[in-house]
Amino acid sequence: MNGPQAAKWEMVEAGGRTAQSFGLNRLLGQIYMLLFLSREAMSLDQIAAQLGISKASASIASRQLESWGAVRRVWMKGDRKSYYAAETNLLRIVDGGLLPSLLKKLHSARIQIERSRRLLEEGDGDPDQKRFIRVRLDQAESYRSKIEALLENPIVRRIL
Amino acid sequence: MNGPQAAKWEMVEAGGRTAQSFGLNRLLGQIYMLLFLSREAMSLDQIAAQLGISKASASIASRQLESWGAVRRVWMKGDRKSYYAAETNLLRIVDGGLLPSLLKKLHSARIQIERSRRLLEEGDGDPDQKRFIRVRLDQAESYRSKIEALLENPIVRRIL
DNA sequence: GGGTATGTTTATTAATTTTTGAACGTTAAA
DNA sequence: TTTAACGTTCAAAAATTAATAAACATACCC
């Protein structure tokens, strides 16, 4: 194998391992890295062939990546195939998928804490126990909002 | 079920769902939340009983949490059982497990990029192709180091 | 020492996730 | 209107991960 190919393959494997280390499907990291290191956009067949996987798997994983904004579809004139290209701008990936998804989780965490607080106050029980849970729910909400503030902080964005 | 119990259970379930949404074992979120909302530390038997799981599962998950610094073992005088208590200080969890683990991943990413660059430069191949891969590896390393800088930035820590 | 209460490991089972080939639907060319 | 080239969906197979009971190890008590 020549230099570029060897380097690319090494990165593709590392991408797969990294994805797995975050609890994601290995293919997500592999496909992203493959596209990141490809000069031209690739069709599903090309992706599947390069990675030795079925077209079905390539299709599912590529659309997953697309939904996160990590990859985009490009159309070649005079070709019905759809091609995928990596989004190489980190901020665009962050804004287009990662950040919204984290903010959504933080939002539902807030809703959840509110719901629990309601259950706490509406039901009865030992006052001391109630007081304790109340303090902890407040603490949880305090951390939650700090994390939210962190994600939305312009200083943080500017570092990337 | 009374107020505190209902509120607690609601949070335990939410913790499990949140853990799963990050690709983690559901029990990790459930146990942490159970301990976070418990006034006293809990033994493995208590944890297992409350969540309706085996002691083996409770043991494995609790130690996992402990290794991340999210939970700590406390010893009660005159009791051979080991009890677990939630670490409720977010910064301590971040410093004691989360951050080190992310920094470790970033470190091995750097090693990986270096290895690929070596493979690229040592092997032969089309010069244009080589140049392209080189640019992308540089780009990857640039993003990697920015993320590292972000995680180590004191402003970021101060927000939490 | 023998007995008991622990936590951990292990081998197995159960559940979940990933992967696939084949069926399907769609589009556009022939 | 066929036919062919696609991408997607689906049901089943394969692989992985989670959960368990039982065996094991350890520390403590008598």
Side-chain angles (χ1 to χ4, degrees):
Chain A
M1 204 184 328
N2 61 22
Q5 279 311 307
K8 187 191 276 196
W9 186 245
E10 191 75 12
M11 290 293 284
V12 166
E13 292 214 316
R17 286 194 302 271
T18 301
Q20 279 189 309
S21 84
F22 282 102
L24 303 173
N25 185 330
R26 189 179 85 263
L27 287 184
L28 297 172
Q30 289 184 326
I31 292 177
Y32 178 78
M33 203 49 88
L34 183 64
L35 296 174
F36 182 80
L37 295 177
S38 292
R39 194 196 288 277
E40 288 100 13
M42 296 177 72
S43 70
L44 285 182
D45 283 321
Q46 290 174 311
I47 292 170
Q50 290 252 338
L51 297 180
I53 59 175
S54 70
K55 198 166 61 159
S57 293
S59 173
I60 293 167
S62 297
R63 271 181 303 148
Q64 172 86 285
L65 286 169
E66 191 193 11
S67 81
W68 294 345
V71 138
R72 49 181 211 285
R73 242 179 251 248
V74 300
W75 277 271
M76 310 291 215
K77 60 179 177 184
D79 193 336
R80 293 205 288 117
K81 282 203 201 66
S82 56
Y83 291 83
Y84 286 93
E87 171 56 67
T88 61
N89 185 306
L90 180 56
L91 262 186
R92 235 178 274 158
I93 296 177
V94 168
D95 289 341
L98 234 162
L99 191 54
S101 133
L102 287 176
L103 290 175
K104 196 170 147 199
K105 284 179 203 215
L106 285 167
H107 175 71
S108 62
R110 182 163 62 93
I111 303 296
Q112 180 58 51
I113 293 170
E114 279 166 9
R115 183 208 309 284
S116 291
R117 172 181 284 285
R118 209 156 36 241
L119 284 169
L120 175 69
E121 303 302 351
E122 285 170 1
D124 51 2
D126 173 28
D128 273 359
Q129 182 65 5
K130 250 175 132 161
R131 195 154 29 236
F132 172 75
I133 300 282
R134 197 179 298 128
V135 167
R136 280 294 154 87
L137 290 180
D138 286 349
Q139 195 181 356
E141 169 55 25
S142 156
Y143 281 136
R144 195 208 60 78
S145 71
K146 278 179 181 175
I147 294 170
E148 197 172 69
L150 183 62
L151 292 181
E152 285 170 337
N153 190 302
I155 297 176
V156 170
R157 294 182 97 298
R158 222 166 305 134
I159 294 177
L160 295 176
Chain B
M1 204 181 333
N2 61 21
Q5 278 311 307
K8 187 191 275 195
W9 186 245
E10 191 75 12
M11 291 294 284
V12 167
E13 292 215 315
R17 286 194 302 272
T18 301
Q20 280 190 309
S21 84
F22 281 102
L24 302 174
N25 185 329
R26 188 180 87 262
L27 288 184
L28 297 172
Q30 288 184 326
I31 292 177
Y32 178 78
M33 203 48 89
L34 182 63
L35 295 174
F36 182 80
L37 295 177
S38 291
R39 194 197 288 275
E40 289 100 13
M42 296 178 72
S43 70
L44 284 182
D45 284 320
Q46 291 175 311
I47 293 170
Q50 289 252 339
L51 297 180
I53 60 176
S54 71
K55 198 167 60 159
S57 293
S59 173
I60 292 167
S62 298
R63 272 182 302 150
Q64 171 86 286
L65 286 169
E66 191 193 10
S67 79
W68 294 344
V71 138
R72 51 180 208 286
R73 243 179 252 249
V74 300
W75 277 271
M76 308 292 214
K77 60 180 177 183
D79 192 337
R80 295 205 288 114
K81 282 203 200 65
S82 55
Y83 291 83
Y84 286 94
E87 171 56 67
T88 61
N89 184 306
L90 180 57
L91 261 187
R92 235 178 274 159
I93 296 177
V94 168
D95 289 342
L98 233 162
L99 192 54
S101 133
L102 287 176
L103 289 174
K104 197 170 146 199
K105 284 181 204 216
L106 285 167
H107 175 72
S108 62
R110 182 162 61 93
I111 303 296
Q112 179 59 52
I113 293 170
E114 279 166 9
R115 184 208 307 286
S116 291
R117 172 181 283 284
R118 209 156 37 241
L119 285 170
L120 175 70
E121 303 301 351
E122 284 170 2
D124 50 2
D126 172 28
D128 274 357
Q129 182 65 4
K130 249 175 132 162
R131 195 156 27 238
F132 173 75
I133 300 283
R134 197 178 298 128
V135 167
R136 280 293 155 88
L137 290 181
D138 286 349
Q139 194 181 357
E141 168 54 25
S142 156
Y143 281 136
R144 195 208 60 79
S145 71
K146 278 180 182 173
I147 293 170
E148 199 172 66
L150 183 62
L151 292 182
E152 285 170 337
N153 191 303
I155 296 176
V156 169
R157 293 181 98 300
R158 220 165 306 135
I159 294 177
L160 295 176

